[in-house]
Amino acid sequence: MTKTLKHLPRRRFLQAGAAALAAPALLKSTRAYAANPTLRIGHVSPRTGPLAGFAEADDYVLKGIEQAFAAGLENNGKSWNVEIISKDSQSNPNRAAEVAADLILGEEVDIIVAASTPDTVNPVADQAEVNEVPCITTDCPWQPYFFGRNGVPGEGFQSTYHFFWGLEDVIYSFLELWDASGANPVVGGLFPNDADGNAWGHPELGLPKPLAVFGYDLIDPGRYQPLSDDFSNYISAFKEACCEIVTGNMIPPDFATFWAQAAQQGFHPKVVTIGKALLFPSFIESLGARGDGLTSEVWWTPNHPFSSSLNGTSSRQLVEGYTAETGRPWTQPMGFKHALFEVAADVIRRAEDLEDPEAIVAAIAATQMSTIVGKVDWSDGPMNNVTKTPLAAGQWQKAGDTFNLEVVASYGVQGIEQTADLKLLS
């Protein structure tokens, strides 16, 4: 029975139930006529498992959002209470789909939001799409979000919308960084057999074609299984091809294994630029001296010139508040978690009818706003249901006992300044 409900659009299911109980329903007032109606937002992120670093700041961000929503949000002259129900995907796509279905069918949320790699974003968005529930997602390059969900250019999706950067932005940021390094233009590729890895390594939509256009040879030995314990074949292939640059998209445990084995087997590239794994300061610190000089994409920093539309908090103030309260270093995903709820709040204020999912979706599609991570405008995107945020490239550079993420390639993004020069690993 549960399986059947997951594939029955919620709105049609509820309409059918309403028809069966037409007389009693006439005696009830809808929540729109209550003194303080409540709108429910479901939230899914990987609190536990190998992707937990993406959700490290969730408690702090959600606490701030709940404070911002405490007085309610106004829609059409009426104040609405907003309740947030957060669920842990456990870094597992099947679990992400399960908790999304529970939020939609059990908790009956009005909007669902999700973040942190295709393993969370895609299954949540798929559940929202099939059940016709408005959905906003982030923290996943748009290609694995769109094409990984079998999106058709020119058609897109009905209920699900996404904001983040794309692989084209990664490529140009990385190329700017690598061009400045003077390293041999032979790049070793480390791509896992998952949605991210298959998108990054895709021969047409990923890195291979544009790298070739710009004169770089990509050595791609094939997909490895996540949580692999042996990268010897990859290291041997990179050494044989004289790779001085290594790139890819890895979870932290996989990169730690690769990087330790590279040292053991005498592989010393000049530049290592890895997505996902190298976002988190706690992981960089765990690598000790071998974390110094590693490079990655830069989504957001305290220096980004953006502020929250909810309370005017600047990027730096959000970071300083987090570090002061938790004693932990800031993380890049926290800005995007905050922005998710900025967009949701803006949609709630503008929707013509918060009782109507289609009206909420229409408000999402019409979004044109500035957030703490930059502009969100679905009229200006590379694909239906997608809009982009800025991206740069950075390097972890050790200063005393701490690692600082320095912007070493800003790719011409307005307002994002380079803060240091790239240094080579060897």
Side-chain angles (χ1 to χ4, degrees):
M1 184 66 174
T2 303
K3 182 179 290 187
T4 302
L5 288 178
K6 285 183 181 179
H7 295 282
L8 177 65
R10 186 184 67 156
R11 184 153 48 85
R12 290 205 293 270
F13 172 73
L14 295 177
Q15 287 170 345
L21 300 172
L26 291 173
L27 301 178
K28 293 182 180 180
S29 61
T30 69
R31 63 180 175 182
Y33 295 97
N36 293 294
T38 297
L39 184 136
R40 310 185 100 189
I41 301 177
H43 169 251
V44 183
S45 69
R47 297 292 192 99
T48 58
L51 299 176
F54 284 89
E56 185 176 324
D58 274 16
D59 286 340
Y60 178 81
V61 172
L62 288 174
K63 177 182 174 182
I65 295 300
E66 287 169 351
Q67 290 172 350
F69 289 175
L73 297 176
E74 185 171 309
N75 172 275
N76 290 322
K78 190 176 189 66
S79 181
W80 284 68
N81 296 327
V82 179
E83 179 184 0
I84 300 170
I85 306 170
S86 185
K87 299 279 189 177
D88 179 13
S89 72
Q90 301 176 1
S91 301
N92 183 301
N94 293 328
R95 175 66 178 173
E98 289 174 8
V99 298
D102 180 59
L103 286 167
I104 292 167
L105 299 172
E107 303 288 353
E108 295 188 2
V109 297
D110 302 281
I111 301 171
I112 191 164
V113 301
S116 308
T117 83
D119 289 334
T120 301
V121 166
N122 286 9
V124 171
D126 285 343
Q127 285 291 325
E129 186 75 7
V130 76
N131 286 291
E132 299 179 358
V133 173
C135 177
I136 307 164
T137 53
T138 190
D139 285 17
C140 164
W142 71 260
Q143 286 91 344
Y145 166 85
F146 189 87
F147 295 111
R149 298 180 55 223
N150 299 314
V152 177
E155 297 180 11
F157 308 106
Q158 295 299 314
S159 303
T160 52
Y161 286 76
H162 187 74
F163 66 96
F164 207 51
W165 42 263
L167 295 182
E168 68 279 18
D169 304 299
V170 167
I171 291 164
Y172 289 118
S173 294
F174 287 6
L175 285 172
E176 182 180 345
L177 186 154
W178 298 341
D179 285 347
S181 73
N184 182 23
V186 182
V187 182
L190 289 164
F191 306 118
N193 186 22
D194 62 16
D196 256 340
N198 291 327
W200 284 54
H202 192 283
E204 296 295 324
L205 303 174
L207 273 65
K209 180 179 282 189
L211 292 192
V213 169
F214 286 94
Y216 285 81
D217 293 328
L218 179 65
I219 308 303
D220 181 1
R223 305 295 163 266
Y224 68 85
Q225 291 304 312
L227 299 177
S228 176
D229 60 2
D230 186 4
F231 288 90
S232 297
N233 291 340
Y234 295 83
I235 293 168
S236 295
F238 298 162
K239 289 171 69 175
E240 182 178 348
C242 298
C243 295
E244 292 187 347
I245 302 170
V246 173
T247 196
N249 188 276
M250 311 177 80
I251 58 176
D254 286 341
F255 180 77
T257 300
F258 163 79
W259 200 220
Q261 292 177 357
Q264 293 164 2
Q265 297 174 33
F267 177 50
H268 303 291
K270 292 182 177 180
V271 182
V272 173
T273 310
I274 300 291
K276 193 183 294 186
L278 304 186
L279 293 172
F280 308 109
S282 57
F283 177 65
I284 297 297
E285 290 169 358
S286 74
L287 299 175
R290 285 183 55 77
D292 189 23
L294 296 173
T295 53
S296 183
E297 78 273 19
V298 175
W299 314 355
W300 178 81
T301 74
N303 297 321
H304 275 48
F306 309 126
S307 298
S308 169
S309 61
L310 287 175
N311 51 24
T313 297
S314 69
S315 297
R316 181 160 298 280
Q317 287 171 330
L318 182 63
V319 162
E320 289 176 347
Y322 174 71
T323 56
E325 182 167 316
T326 67
R328 300 182 63 84
W330 63 277
T331 67
Q332 296 188 52
M334 68 183 293
F336 282 83
K337 296 297 179 65
H338 184 96
L340 265 180
F341 292 96
E342 286 186 73
V343 177
D346 182 68
V347 166
I348 290 167
R349 292 188 179 106
R350 289 185 294 104
E352 290 187 5
D353 181 2
L354 288 176
E355 293 280 0
D356 181 4
E358 291 184 1
I360 296 175
V361 169
I364 296 173
T367 298
Q368 295 181 336
M369 65 179 298
S370 296
T371 75
I372 204 163
V373 299
K375 182 181 72 171
V376 175
D377 178 358
W378 276 290
S379 70
D380 179 21
M383 202 66 62
N384 310 67
N385 307 79
V386 171
T387 188
K388 297 206 301 180
T389 53
L391 186 72
Q395 182 172 49
W396 291 101
Q397 297 185 359
K398 193 168 187 180
D401 295 329
T402 62
F403 287 94
N404 296 322
L405 180 61
E406 304 287 353
V407 174
V408 294
S410 61
Y411 180 42
V413 177
Q414 186 175 3
I416 302 175
E417 303 293 336
Q418 183 173 329
T419 60
D421 294 325
L422 176 73
K423 63 180 185 181
L424 300 182
L425 291 170
S426 59

